Amino acid sequence: MSLIEVRHLCKEFKIAKRQEGLTGALRSLFHRQYTTKIAVNDISFSIGTGEMVGYIGPNGAGKSTTIKMLTGILVPSSGEIRVNGLIPYKERRRNARQIGVVFGQRTQRWWDLPTIESCELLKQIFQIPPDRYRQNMALFNEILDLDEFLQTPVRQLSLGQRMRADIAAALLHDPKILFLDEPTIGLDVVAKERMRSFIREINKNRGVTVILTTHDMSDIEKLCQRMILIDKGQVMYDGELTKIKETFGKTRILIVDFEENIDDFSLDGVEVIKQEGNRRWLKFNREVHTASQLISQISEKYEIKDISIQDPEIEVLIRNIYEHNYTLDQVFTDKTRI
């Protein structure tokens, strides 16, 4: 049985029309007109226990609206949601006890309290047993180095420290599901890797199901095997990340260091896109040539010092899908324009 079930989920918002002038403003007091915005349009998916899923899309695609319905903050216009057997908006308190939520630009800590006191308050709110609380704090401190700022008020924390504190707070009560919204936003390279390592740790060793929304495609590549791609309130793709690469990543780059400078390099089906000294960047179509075939052909004609292969970045592939306005059916039937 799936931990999260979403069936034909829709969410509409009514937005009041603003009429110009004093007369229009007075008229709106008595006869207000509305326009309807469809934020989520017939979305369906299921997520199993222990999965780590990237839920991605451009701004306004419906990601945050979906997450708010899954957490019980918003009520769907139609459709069904079950999170571990609960209907979130009908059973908000019970649902809150089984989920953790981290919003990258908002904190769930009390602004003027030291970090440790916020943890103590959460302990009381969720009625966490003392032994379990101590075990969790010890684990989080070991991985996230919380000790260095536990006595510091939240308002004085750096962004990296606040994110570490927020993810620890979201996991204090041992939730089954963790919703992460931009968990690495604004972090430096070291802090990002520390955060990713922690997320992998709690997913692997505690079986926490993770739903990750982010604009940083490096987070998706390094953490998630499955990706749900959403645009204009609809699911465009739901499946393995590797399949996106295999389907749309037809172009690869072979980086070759020759023993000596080659002025007249040429090979059928290969394009030299860059050169620096004896190094050449060679672009080829993986459906026409395999890397091993090319390496063999090149080594027959030239002396090679070193060689490596570069796959296209997932961010570029996703951007191409959005720019071509692919529908769900087209994602795997029309590959000619990518």
Side-chain angles (χ1 to χ4, degrees):
M1 180 179 176
S2 299
L3 188 65
I4 297 175
E5 288 282 353
V6 174
R7 292 289 173 264
H8 305 294
L9 185 66
C10 297
K11 181 61 181 179
E12 298 178 352
F13 294 98
K14 286 186 176 181
I15 303 173
K17 284 185 177 180
R18 182 177 178 181
Q19 300 188 38
E20 296 182 1
L22 179 59
T23 304
L26 291 172
R27 188 181 298 116
S28 295
L29 290 174
F30 302 98
H31 301 286
R32 181 161 292 185
Q33 295 181 326
Y34 295 88
T35 58
T36 300
K37 175 179 173 54
I38 300 175
V40 172
N41 186 13
D42 196 24
I43 282 179
S44 297
F45 60 81
S46 60
I47 296 174
T49 301
E51 280 197 85
M52 188 137 55
V53 180
Y55 193 64
I56 67 170
N59 291 330
K63 304 186 303 296
S64 295
T65 301
T66 306
I67 298 302
K68 287 175 181 177
M69 288 188 281
L70 288 169
T71 57
I73 296 172
L74 291 178
V75 178
S77 300
S78 62
E80 299 179 2
I81 304 178
R82 289 196 177 271
V83 178
N84 197 26
L86 302 179
I87 300 174
Y89 65 93
K90 289 185 178 180
E91 302 169 274
R92 285 190 175 94
R93 289 190 178 183
R94 290 181 64 193
N95 189 55
R97 290 186 175 278
Q98 66 177 3
I99 66 172
V101 183
V102 176
F103 291 105
Q105 300 184 47
R106 297 182 181 89
T107 182
Q108 58 182 310
R109 303 288 181 128
W110 285 264
W111 199 242
D112 292 313
L113 293 181
T115 303
I116 188 62
E117 291 189 24
S118 289
C119 292
E120 292 286 347
L121 279 172
L122 290 169
K123 172 190 171 186
Q124 299 302 320
I125 290 170
F126 287 103
Q127 300 177 343
I128 304 169
D131 288 347
R132 191 57 182 166
Y133 174 77
R134 285 193 294 270
Q135 290 171 8
N136 282 343
M137 287 298 294
L139 174 65
F140 300 160
N141 180 53
E142 178 184 348
I143 301 175
L144 296 173
D145 289 335
L146 302 179
D147 269 351
E148 66 182 54
F149 55 83
L150 279 178
Q151 303 302 326
T152 305
V154 172
R155 57 184 166 78
Q156 295 179 11
L157 299 181
S158 68
L159 180 58
Q161 290 173 331
R162 182 172 65 76
M163 290 305 303
R164 282 147 59 192
D166 280 347
I167 198 168
L171 291 163
L172 270 176
H173 60 293
D174 293 324
K176 293 184 171 75
I177 305 163
L178 180 62
F179 295 100
L180 297 174
D181 185 8
E182 303 286 358
T184 63
I185 189 171
L187 303 186
D188 60 37
V189 174
V190 174
K192 280 187 177 184
E193 193 50 47
R194 176 183 286 176
M195 186 67 73
R196 290 167 184 156
S197 296
F198 181 72
I199 294 168
R200 281 192 291 265
E201 175 84 11
I202 58 101
N203 172 254
K204 179 181 178 181
N205 295 333
R206 295 196 170 195
V208 176
T209 301
V210 179
I211 294 90
L212 170 65
T213 67
T214 180
H215 286 93
D216 188 340
M217 293 307 301
S218 295
D219 288 344
I220 301 295
E221 280 198 277
K222 294 183 178 181
L223 292 173
C224 304
Q225 293 183 328
R226 177 183 171 193
M227 179 177 68
I228 299 176
L229 192 62
I230 183 175
D231 190 25
K232 298 176 183 176
Q234 295 183 310
V235 172
M236 296 177 67
Y237 172 70
D238 180 358
E240 295 180 2
L241 189 61
T242 54
K243 193 171 182 182
I244 286 282
K245 289 184 175 181
E246 290 170 0
T247 303
F248 295 106
K250 294 188 296 183
T251 300
R252 304 180 81 186
I253 306 297
L254 196 65
I255 305 172
V256 184
D257 288 321
F258 294 98
E259 286 288 354
E260 57 185 22
N261 190 33
I262 308 295
D263 294 324
D264 58 346
F265 177 87
S266 65
L267 201 63
D268 289 342
V270 176
E271 178 187 353
V272 179
I273 60 172
K274 184 180 177 181
Q275 66 181 60
E276 288 180 2
N278 293 353
R279 177 173 293 183
R280 299 292 185 275
W281 281 259
L282 310 177
K283 180 179 177 182
F284 67 97
N285 188 323
R286 66 194 305 169
E287 293 184 348
V288 177
H289 299 285
T290 65
S292 60
Q293 288 173 342
L294 285 181
I295 293 170
S296 177
Q297 291 178 38
I298 294 170
S299 61
E300 288 177 0
K301 297 178 65 176
Y302 308 100
E303 291 292 327
I304 298 175
K305 184 177 181 180
D306 195 14
I307 198 162
S308 61
I309 299 173
Q310 186 179 83
D311 286 309
E313 295 181 357
I314 188 66
E315 185 173 357
V316 174
L317 303 182
I318 298 302
R319 185 171 65 245
N320 286 338
I321 293 174
Y322 282 128
E323 287 176 351
H324 287 100
N325 294 315
Y326 278 87
T327 65
L328 181 59
D329 291 336
Q330 289 173 321
V331 167
F332 291 107
T333 57
D334 182 3
K335 311 172 197 175
T336 58
R337 291 178 291 176
I338 300 294

